[in-house]
Amino acid sequence: MLCFARVQRSFLVAPRYLSKHTFNGTHACSVSQSIHSYNCSMPELMSLAQKEMVLINNFITEDEEQCLMKDIEPKWKRLKYQFDHWDDAIQGYRETEVSNWSETSSNILNRLRNAAFAEKDSQRALVHVLDLAEDGYIKPHVDSVKFCGRVIAGLSLLTPSVMRLINEKDKSKQITVLLNRRSLYIMRDSIRFEYTHEILKNEESLFRGTNIPKGRRMSVICRSEPISDDCNDSGNLFKVIKLNPD
Ligand code: OGA
Ligand code: MN
């Protein structure tokens, strides 16, 4: 079993492993950033959000979504959704890593990589696929620096959902992002390291006061390799985040 994001009791733990960017990078991207998909607790967060939590709506077409799903669905075999460990960072999910993609899917993933990673980033070759059941959700966590570098890029398939980012040191700094179906997010640098991220459960799935019902959600995630200094750190596998300090 993979374990990018795990929780222990009142603690949240960061995942396993878990970037090149486009907009000011060398790889031009023909689609533009979706500025209406953010809701920030303070106006000054908006520019950070747009820089380090890039959201691109309609990154893929419906046909491309179908093509990715066709490659993904046979991978599950008898793998069941996991709900039983209440202290896991993710509830109601199954996950896998995929290396063999059809030609069309490989082209989509190359487009994603070109949009997300900079030349300096070494990229994990395997693609993480996370299948979240309709009543599944992801609790706040930070992906472990042991397994993931400065960029996490995720395509959201099948349903819209709401992601919330909260600054670990100053919880009043919050960014809510509407992850539309077929959108791509590129989370990097300080937002990736200093903010927890979570996918809200259906009862709490609100964006600017509007309920966003989440169905079954498939995310296709590419990550950069850990930064070498962090790799040499012999500390914990997971970064522990205390949610409710005594
Ligand atoms: C994770 C995670 C987000 C997503 O697997 O660590 O945060 O978009 N996934 O599924
Ligand atoms: Mn994560």
Side-chain angles (χ1 to χ4, degrees), residues 2 4 17 68 72 75-76 95-101 105-106 108-110 112-113 117 123-130 153-155 219-223:
L2 301 172
F4 292 85
Y17 49 81
L68 288 166
I72 292 167
K75 308 282 179 199
W76 302 121
E95 63 186 342
T96 187
E97 285 185 302
V98 180
S99 58
N100 53 325
W101 296 93
S105 295
S106 297
I108 300 166
L109 292 167
N110 283 339
L112 182 161
R113 289 178 185 281
F117 298 101
Q123 305 175 28
R124 290 190 60 90
L126 289 177
V127 178
H128 176 211
V129 179
L130 180 71
L155 263 179
S219 49
V220 175
I221 307 166
C222 292
R223 294 175 169 96

Side-chain angles (χ1 to χ4, degrees), residues 40-77:
C40 300
S41 61
M42 27 186 108
E44 57 271 32
L45 280 180
M46 194 62 179
S47 58
L48 179 73
Q50 289 181 32
K51 194 165 145 243
E52 296 190 352
M53 177 62 189
V54 174
L55 198 269
I56 306 167
N57 279 328
N58 296 308
F59 188 78
I60 56 171
T61 63
E62 284 176 32
D63 286 352
E64 288 175 324
E65 179 186 43
Q66 268 183 29
C67 180
L68 288 166
M69 286 304 297
K70 214 170 133 219
D71 285 0
I72 292 167
E73 290 289 40
K75 308 282 179 199
W76 302 121
K77 301 210 168 85

Side-chain angles (χ1 to χ4, degrees), residues 41 45 48 142 164-175 190-191 193-197:
S41 61
L45 280 180
L48 179 73
V142 176
R164 186 162 59 199
L165 305 148
I166 304 181
N167 186 292
E168 268 191 76
K169 295 214 173 95
D170 177 357
K171 306 232 176 324
S172 67
K173 292 183 177 168
Q174 299 200 4
I175 303 164
S190 69
I191 290 209
F193 292 114
E194 295 166 19
Y195 284 66
T196 58
H197 56 276

Side-chain angles (χ1 to χ4, degrees), residues 6 23 33 67 90 117 130 154 172 177 190 206-207 222 225 240:
R6 298 283 173 262
F23 304 99
Q33 186 165 1
C67 180
I90 310 183
F117 298 101
L130 180 71
S172 67
V177 189
S190 69
L206 291 174
F207 182 75
C222 292
E225 291 280 13
V240 178

Side-chain angles (χ1 to χ4, degrees), residues 4-5 15-18 90 95 128 130 132 138-139 141-143 152 154-156 161 163 179 185 187 197-199 217-221 223:
F4 292 85
R16 12 13 172 184
Y17 49 81
L18 277 227
I90 310 183
E95 63 186 342
H128 176 211
L130 180 71
L132 207 56
I138 305 180
K139 298 177 189 175
H141 68 279
V142 176
D143 288 15
I152 303 166
L155 263 179
S156 301
S161 62
M163 183 181 271
L179 301 181
Y185 67 81
M187 189 194 305
H197 56 276
E198 62 192 298
I199 298 281
R217 174 174 185 269
M218 193 74 65
S219 49
V220 175
I221 307 166
R223 294 175 169 96

